[in-house]
Amino acid sequence: MDTNEYSVVTKRPSFQELYMDFAFSISRRSTCNRLNVGTVITTTDFRKILSIGYNGNASGLPNQCDREEPGNCGCLHSEENAVINCDSPRSVEKIVFVTHLPCSACAKRLVNLGNVKTVYYAEDYRKKDSIEILEQCKIEVIRFQKREK
């Protein structure tokens, strides 16, 4: 066997890439007609997923929007669902990966979750006022750029 077969070094994806990919994967569960959004909350050492969420109607209600009005469809936001699903104490430091920049209300929810250190997002939201809210609360906000292969 030629040992050169194994000398090729592969580029391992970063944890940030993996968790952002997972956020996009989980967004496929969304039942919102307008925008599919996913959120993953991890520990700061990336060893544990603390919570996930995607946007859609409340459990037990029809898997569809309540209304067709953009921005008022009645769906819970992915960040909101991830916060609801997160049972880690406020003392645990957290990193959030979300497919789209959170709205201002979800930014405040993430602040109240406690000890969020960084929010990574891939796509812009129509408003960017959440960036100021998060940064005012000493939460780093990073626009995620997937690295070229």
Side-chain angles (χ1 to χ4, degrees), residues 24 34 51 93 118 122 124-125 128-129:
F24 275 101
R34 187 179 67 80
S51 184
E93 293 182 341
T118 306
D124 279 327
Y125 183 64
K128 294 186 180 180
D129 49 348

Side-chain angles (χ1 to χ4, degrees), residues 28-88:
R28 295 176 25 224
R29 298 246 338 129
S30 170
T31 57
C32 182
N33 293 334
R34 187 179 67 80
L35 187 63
N36 298 336
V37 182
T39 300
V40 178
I41 301 174
T42 72
T43 56
T44 54
D45 65 1
F46 303 111
R47 295 189 183 276
K48 292 183 182 178
I49 294 176
L50 302 174
S51 184
I52 61 170
Y54 51 88
N55 57 329
N57 216 336
S59 297
L61 294 177
N63 284 327
Q64 62 189 33
C65 296
D66 295 335
R67 297 172 290 282
E68 295 298 318
E69 182 184 346
N72 191 25
C73 69
C75 287
L76 296 170
H77 291 192
S78 72
E79 305 92 327
E80 186 172 20
N81 277 322
V83 167
I84 290 167
N85 293 331
C86 188
D87 59 2
S88 292

Side-chain angles (χ1 to χ4, degrees), residues 4 8 25 27 37 43-44 55 62 67 74 82 88 90 92 95 107-108 113 116 126 137 145:
N4 288 334
V8 176
S25 290
S27 76
V37 182
T43 56
T44 54
N55 57 329
R67 297 172 290 282
S88 292
R90 292 177 61 82
V92 173
I95 295 181
K108 292 176 182 180
L113 178 60
V116 172
R126 65 180 180 262
C137 295
Q145 301 287 328

